[in-house]
């Protein structure tokens, strides 16, 4: 067990389905992004998706000393949101000025989050509330990734999607034209286990999508399990497998990985993961904006999702210490995930830029 000062909250090495931490090892779940697939929105374009990154020890991360050099070396910055742009409902100091500076230099900005509880439109409203001008097309949530993946594989429109998750997933599925059931309305449903009781399920369900769900219950577990185990070819899709999340600033809370883990345990199946650190969203972005991954810098506050997401996609990576990861955690000998650079917060782009002039 790692010491508290040296502990890395690595969702891909956590025992899924529990908040307990164990000796890190790489489980056998699948990331989306291990084969060629064709985007429904662009049938002439194919995206060659990279294999999982080699989990080898990298050189130690370097403190960012020359922001100007990093800014000039890439065309696009991908930012995680919570812990990078905001904390809860409060902007992190210097964010508006930093984003304005990057836009003035012609940089493309994209905002990516594993939080599936909101749709892109709902996230757009949050940016607006915080005084940031961000278009819906610049926002990529894992709720959108789930719908985008189904479109990319030409998921049959006569099939349904059973959702274990919140409103964000439902809205994105609806926008993509898919039929769905479940979601929040199943949160109050209960099962009376009487002798001989057999639970019915919709045999037209062709995919079960699991995301973070604050109304997770046994009904949803059983319904999703029946669909995955008994409906031929039914897909098991996870928006992410984060072990913990930050619902309050007082402590860590069980993340979407706990819901995914319950279904994985009951079905004995591993999910297809569409959120970070899967390469699916990175490949989608590269294709959507027609940019080289080597011209992207991923900026995030979590090693196991944000930085690994960038590394799996072949991008430059910058860790900010304004969120989950502390400097002792980054520099812990047990941590093998090393970004290219680290800094305190993204507004360091302004001060470090000025220092190099």
């Amino acid at each position: 067990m790692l010491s508290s000062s040296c502990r890395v909250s690595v969702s891909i090495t956590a025992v899924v389905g529990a908040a307990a931490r164990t000796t890190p090892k790489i489980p056998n779940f699948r990331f989306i992004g291990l084969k060629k697939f064709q985007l429904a929105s662009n049938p002439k374009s194919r995206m060659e998706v990279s294999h999982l990154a080699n989990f080898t020890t990298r050189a130690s991360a370097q403190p960012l000393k020359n922001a100007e050099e990093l800014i000039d070396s890439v065309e696009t910055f991908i930012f995680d949101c919570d812990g990078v742009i905001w904390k809860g409902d409060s902007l992190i100091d210097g964010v508006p000025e930093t984003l304005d500076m990057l836009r003035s230099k012609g940089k493309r900005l994209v905002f990516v989050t594993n939080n599936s509880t909101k749709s892109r439109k709902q996230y757009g409203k949050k940016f607006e509330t915080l005084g940031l001008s961000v278009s819906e097309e610049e926002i990529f949530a894992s709720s959108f990734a789930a719908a985008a993946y189904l479109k990319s594989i030409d998921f049959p429109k006569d099939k349904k999607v059973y959702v274990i998750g919140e409103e964000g997933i439902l809205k994105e599925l609806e926008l993509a034209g898919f039929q769905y059931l479940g979601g929040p309305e199943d949160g109050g449903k209960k099962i009376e286990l009487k002798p001989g009781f057999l639970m019915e399920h919709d045999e037209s369900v062709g995919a079960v999508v699991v995301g973070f769900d604050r109304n997770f219950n046994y009904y949803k577990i059983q319904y999703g399990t029946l669909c995955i185990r008994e409906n031929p070819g039914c897909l098991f899709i996870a928006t992410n497998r984060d072990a913990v999340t930050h619902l309050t600033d007082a402590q860590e809370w069980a993340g979407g990985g706990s819901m995914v883990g319950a279904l994985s345990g009951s079905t004995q199946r591993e999910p297809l993961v569409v959120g970070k650190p899967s390469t699916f969203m990175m490949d989608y972005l590269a294709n959507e904006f027609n940019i080289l991954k080597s011209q992207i810098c991923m900026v995030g506050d979590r090693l196991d999702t944000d930085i690994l997401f960038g590394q799996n996609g072949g991008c430059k990576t910058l860790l900010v210490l304004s969120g989950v990861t502390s400097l002792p955690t980054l520099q812990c000998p047990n941590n093998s995930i090393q970004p290219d650079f680290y800094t305190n917060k993204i507004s360091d782009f302004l001060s470090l830029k000025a220092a190099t002039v």
Side-chain angles (χ1 to χ4, degrees):
M1 185 71 73
L2 302 180
S3 66
S4 59
S5 64
C6 192
R7 187 179 64 193
V8 181
S9 298
V10 182
S11 62
I12 64 167
T13 59
V15 175
V16 179
R21 305 188 190 280
T22 61
T23 302
K25 65 179 181 179
I26 300 171
N28 186 32
F29 64 84
R30 292 176 292 166
F31 289 121
I32 292 297
L34 304 183
K35 63 180 181 179
K36 288 183 178 180
F37 57 89
Q38 189 170 12
L39 282 178
S41 61
N42 189 359
K44 293 184 180 180
S45 174
R46 289 184 177 273
M47 294 189 295
E48 182 72 44
V49 185
S50 59
H51 288 272
L52 290 176
N54 294 323
F55 290 85
T56 55
T57 303
R58 291 172 173 252
S60 296
Q62 298 299 308
L64 182 64
K65 295 180 179 179
N66 190 336
E68 188 81 21
E69 184 177 3
L70 176 60
I71 293 170
D72 290 344
S73 71
V74 297
E75 296 177 358
T76 301
F77 283 90
I78 300 179
F79 292 100
D80 177 46
C81 295
D82 194 17
V84 178
I85 304 299
W86 59 63
K87 278 188 175 180
D89 293 322
S90 300
L91 268 182
I92 293 174
D93 290 343
V95 165
E97 297 83 355
T98 304
L99 300 184
D100 287 345
M101 180 272 290
L102 292 173
R103 289 191 191 278
S104 72
K105 295 177 77 67
K107 303 303 175 182
R108 179 182 288 107
L109 307 184
V110 180
F111 303 87
V112 176
T113 175
N114 261 359
N115 191 329
S116 64
T117 61
K118 293 182 175 67
S119 65
R120 292 204 293 176
K121 186 174 183 178
Q122 289 172 313
Y123 270 111
K125 290 180 179 178
K126 178 165 185 174
F127 277 101
E128 184 179 352
T129 300
L130 293 172
L132 298 175
S133 179
V134 175
S135 70
E136 189 175 318
E137 290 72 28
E138 294 175 313
I139 302 168
F140 289 83
S142 62
S143 52
F144 172 79
Y149 173 70
L150 290 172
K151 287 184 70 173
S152 76
I153 62 169
D154 294 325
F155 183 74
K157 291 298 178 72
D158 61 340
K159 291 287 187 179
K160 298 176 184 176
V161 181
Y162 182 67
V163 176
I164 298 176
E166 302 192 13
E167 189 177 6
I169 299 173
L170 303 186
K171 286 185 175 295
E172 293 294 355
L173 289 174
E174 184 176 359
L175 287 172
F178 294 117
Q179 302 179 69
Y180 61 82
L181 65 156
E185 72 174 29
D186 281 0
K189 294 182 180 179
K190 297 181 180 179
I191 300 175
E192 292 186 26
L193 297 175
K194 299 177 181 179
F197 174 74
L198 184 146
M199 184 174 176
E200 301 287 347
H201 73 285
D202 192 330
E203 295 181 359
S204 67
V205 170
V208 175
V209 175
V210 184
F212 181 71
D213 190 338
R214 283 167 285 197
N215 295 298
F216 192 58
N217 59 21
Y218 190 64
Y219 178 93
K220 295 182 181 184
I221 296 175
Q222 179 64 5
Y223 200 100
T225 298
L226 290 173
C227 292
I228 293 169
R229 294 181 64 175
E230 298 187 11
N231 291 1
C234 184
L235 301 173
F236 176 17
I237 299 170
T239 60
N240 68 81
R241 216 161 180 176
D242 295 355
V244 296
T245 188
H246 295 83
L247 302 179
T248 70
D249 58 4
Q251 62 183 171
E252 292 182 334
W253 297 80
S258 59
M259 293 87 195
V260 175
L263 268 292
S264 182
S266 63
T267 62
Q268 294 297 289
R269 290 252 313 263
E270 295 299 330
L272 303 167
V273 183
V274 295
K276 298 177 291 185
S278 160
T279 60
F280 174 73
M281 280 202 287
M282 185 69 74
D283 292 308
Y284 186 96
L285 289 168
N287 182 79
E288 184 79 2
F289 295 120
N290 193 27
I291 52 178
L292 295 173
K293 296 175 191 175
S294 60
Q295 289 293 307
I296 298 173
C297 180
M298 176 65 208
V299 183
D301 70 314
R302 297 182 69 134
L303 295 168
D304 59 322
T305 54
D306 302 326
I307 302 306
L308 201 56
F309 175 62
Q311 291 177 350
N312 286 347
C315 307
K316 293 182 174 67
T317 54
L318 172 66
L319 176 76
V320 290
L321 303 176
S322 52
V324 171
T325 306
S326 65
L327 187 58
T329 297
L330 172 65
Q331 296 177 337
C332 175
N334 294 289
N335 168 42
S336 63
I337 304 174
Q338 294 289 327
D340 294 312
F341 304 101
Y342 68 88
T343 194
N344 290 320
K345 53 189 182 297
I346 66 168
S347 61
D348 288 346
F349 276 166
L350 300 172
S351 58
L352 292 171
K353 173 179 175 288
T356 61
V357 176

